[in-house]
Amino acid sequence: MEHLINKQVLDIQVSNIRKFSEMAAKYDDVITFAIGQPDFATPEHVKASGKLAIDRNRTEYTTNAGLPELRQAAARFVSHKYGLNYIPDHEIIVTTGASQGIDIAFRTILSEGDEVILPSPVYPGYEPLIKLCGAIPVYFDTTEDQFRINPDRLKNAITTKTRCIVIPSPNPTGITFDAESLERLAESLQDKEIFLLSDEIYSELTYEGRHHSIAAVPSMREKTIVINGLSKSHSMTGWRIGLTFAPAYLTKQMIKVHQYSATCASSISQHAAIEALTTGMDDALSMKDVYRKKRDYAYGRLTAMGFDAHMPNGAFYIFPSVKKFNASSFDFSVDLLQQEHVAVVPGVAFSPYGEGFVRISYACSMDDLKTGLDRIERYVRSLD
């Protein structure tokens, strides 16, 4: 009966991130830099709010779009933090994690044969969702521009079939977009009927200055869907709370897809999320300070070993080149795992333009970071 399964589903491959995590699990003493999982516990006051919701039997369905008070809190949060203004009742949806928000956005705006431009290297979770819509992912090389979008070069990737451009969060490169580059991009797209999907899940983990959203550019708001959530900012990955911010005409259609795919996000998690976005508005600041120290340490160690790398300015990843070691990113990663029991993710997991790089997550204890980097140093010295 397998031949009857949807071909688009059959063609989807398991993420290489997960593959390497599973390979690493076979080693007892492995140091893993492979998963983008914050190494902090959910803040205590947020957990207490979730427990209280259970004790008060707040376990019923919520409205499809999410608790009104949560959407109001989300609107205040992004207005205060990023200068984004959205109407809670008509322009915000609470989703089951940011991934579901991306899914309903694509299913709302994409049709068979549409093209979606993915600035690459890029998080591998977009491609399967695009293909499930019958649309076509188009990878756009950013490696020559320090992993940022060059508007002049982007013009060559746009065709009459381009329906959407993804502006990805800094995964896997750790590189964010500054206000000037976003304004230049907005200017180049101003007269084009192309949607933008701006994945801003790491918005609170921007190290230098504040996070900037292309949706804050007036001409872009009406064509942009902003994806955010609490997984990274409040270390709430398992609570599965995502948020979409989009103009009313888009949100009105996205809610249809959402209500039939998820009904609503977990009511318990939503009550905890209210606490996170109000009392915990600045919870990410202390986490960011710790990540910054780990970033500085990882960058200093790797460059001292001879790796070429750009200094990350967001998230908790660094994306060094391994080209000088004369091995593919996959072979380098496998050999490193086998020889030194350190798990990194080969760059090819993030599109063909990731070849020649590896992704290292420094969302781990400082002891593990030091030990893992010691092992990497020993490994690269053995290659001389």
Side-chain angles (χ1 to χ4, degrees), residues 38-348:
D39 60 316
F40 293 93
T42 300
E44 290 298 325
H45 68 101
V46 176
K47 291 193 288 186
S49 184
K51 293 172 185 176
L52 186 61
I54 295 173
D55 292 339
R56 291 181 174 177
N57 296 314
R58 306 296 177 125
T59 55
E60 67 283 344
Y61 291 125
T62 71
T63 57
N64 295 131
L67 292 168
E69 54 266 49
L70 175 52
R71 285 178 279 142
Q72 291 162 10
R76 289 192 297 270
F77 186 90
V78 298
S79 176
H80 173 72
K81 295 277 188 174
Y82 319 126
L84 297 174
N85 296 301
Y86 289 93
I87 302 169
D89 289 343
H90 305 295
E91 298 185 320
I92 300 175
I93 302 173
V94 183
T95 60
T96 306
S99 296
Q100 197 231 346
I102 295 168
D103 184 32
I104 66 170
F106 281 150
R107 287 202 275 164
T108 298
I109 63 175
L110 298 181
S111 299
E112 190 87 21
D114 286 343
E115 294 179 352
V116 179
I117 294 177
L118 296 173
S120 304
V122 68
Y123 168 64
Y126 305 120
E127 179 188 313
L129 299 179
I130 293 167
K131 288 183 174 179
L132 285 172
C133 295
I136 303 164
V138 177
Y139 290 110
F140 169 72
D141 184 9
T142 66
T143 58
E144 298 301 316
D145 296 291
Q146 298 186 351
F147 304 123
R148 292 184 173 89
I149 301 173
N150 182 319
D152 295 328
R153 294 182 59 242
L154 180 64
K155 291 177 183 178
N156 296 326
I158 294 173
T159 73
T160 56
K161 294 183 178 181
T162 303
R163 181 67 62 235
C164 176
I165 298 170
V166 173
I167 301 179
S169 59
N171 179 8
T173 65
I175 302 301
T176 63
F177 300 98
D178 58 28
E180 182 181 352
S181 62
L182 289 175
E183 287 170 2
R184 286 181 56 224
L185 177 61
E187 184 178 353
S188 70
L189 298 173
Q190 192 168 354
D191 60 347
K192 293 180 170 55
E193 291 189 326
I194 296 173
F195 290 111
L196 302 176
L197 187 142
S198 185
D199 185 345
E200 303 181 18
I201 192 66
Y202 291 94
S203 57
E204 281 296 276
L205 300 181
T206 300
Y207 298 116
E208 281 72 45
R210 62 181 289 184
H211 165 75
H212 296 280
S213 173
I214 198 165
V217 181
S219 61
M220 293 294 105
R221 187 187 187 279
E222 288 303 298
K223 58 177 70 175
T224 301
I225 301 168
V226 173
I227 305 293
N228 213 316
L230 303 183
S231 289
K232 315 300 182 179
S233 61
H234 290 77
S235 197
M236 294 176 67
T237 52
W239 296 78
R240 308 312 300 135
I241 290 293
L243 297 160
T244 68
F245 302 87
Y249 79 95
L250 271 172
T251 300
K252 179 181 179 181
Q253 305 306 320
M254 287 164 58
I255 194 67
K256 298 178 188 176
V257 183
H258 170 68
Q259 75 175 32
Y260 290 117
S261 64
T263 302
C264 64
S266 159
S267 60
I268 297 161
S269 297
Q270 289 191 56
H271 283 285
I274 295 171
E275 176 71 10
L277 292 175
T278 53
T279 305
M281 179 173 283
D282 292 325
D283 279 351
L285 295 182
S286 58
M287 301 182 197
K288 183 167 66 173
D289 287 341
V290 175
Y291 287 137
R292 183 187 287 110
K293 292 176 183 176
K294 293 176 182 176
R295 174 201 66 170
D296 293 347
Y297 179 78
Y299 177 79
R301 286 291 308 276
L302 288 167
T303 53
M305 294 178 209
F307 284 94
D308 294 322
H310 295 291
M311 171 68 90
N313 52 10
F316 35 64
Y317 307 109
I318 188 166
F319 203 61
S321 170
V322 296
K323 295 175 183 177
K324 65 172 56 177
F325 302 112
N326 299 316
S328 70
S329 63
F330 187 86
D331 289 343
F332 180 94
S333 301
V334 170
D335 199 40
L336 175 63
L337 178 60
Q338 293 175 342
Q339 299 298 324
E340 292 291 347
H341 297 185
V342 176
V344 299
V345 183
V348 73

Side-chain angles (χ1 to χ4, degrees), residues 17 33-36 171-172 317-319 344-345 350 358-361:
I17 300 174
F33 296 147
I35 295 293
N171 179 8
Y317 307 109
I318 188 166
F319 203 61
V344 299
V345 183
F350 305 100
V358 296
R359 190 190 76 173
I360 294 173
S361 169

Side-chain angles (χ1 to χ4, degrees), residues 5-66:
I5 295 174
N6 185 325
K7 185 179 183 301
Q8 291 169 337
V9 174
L10 289 173
D11 289 343
I12 291 174
Q13 302 297 312
V14 175
S15 165
N16 277 327
I17 300 174
R18 291 294 171 184
K19 286 181 181 178
F20 261 80
S21 296
E22 291 170 4
M23 289 173 62
K26 299 176 182 178
Y27 298 87
D28 292 333
D29 62 340
V30 72
I31 300 292
T32 181
F33 296 147
I35 295 293
Q37 168 74 36
D39 60 316
F40 293 93
T42 300
E44 290 298 325
H45 68 101
V46 176
K47 291 193 288 186
S49 184
K51 293 172 185 176
L52 186 61
I54 295 173
D55 292 339
R56 291 181 174 177
N57 296 314
R58 306 296 177 125
T59 55
E60 67 283 344
Y61 291 125
T62 71
T63 57
N64 295 131

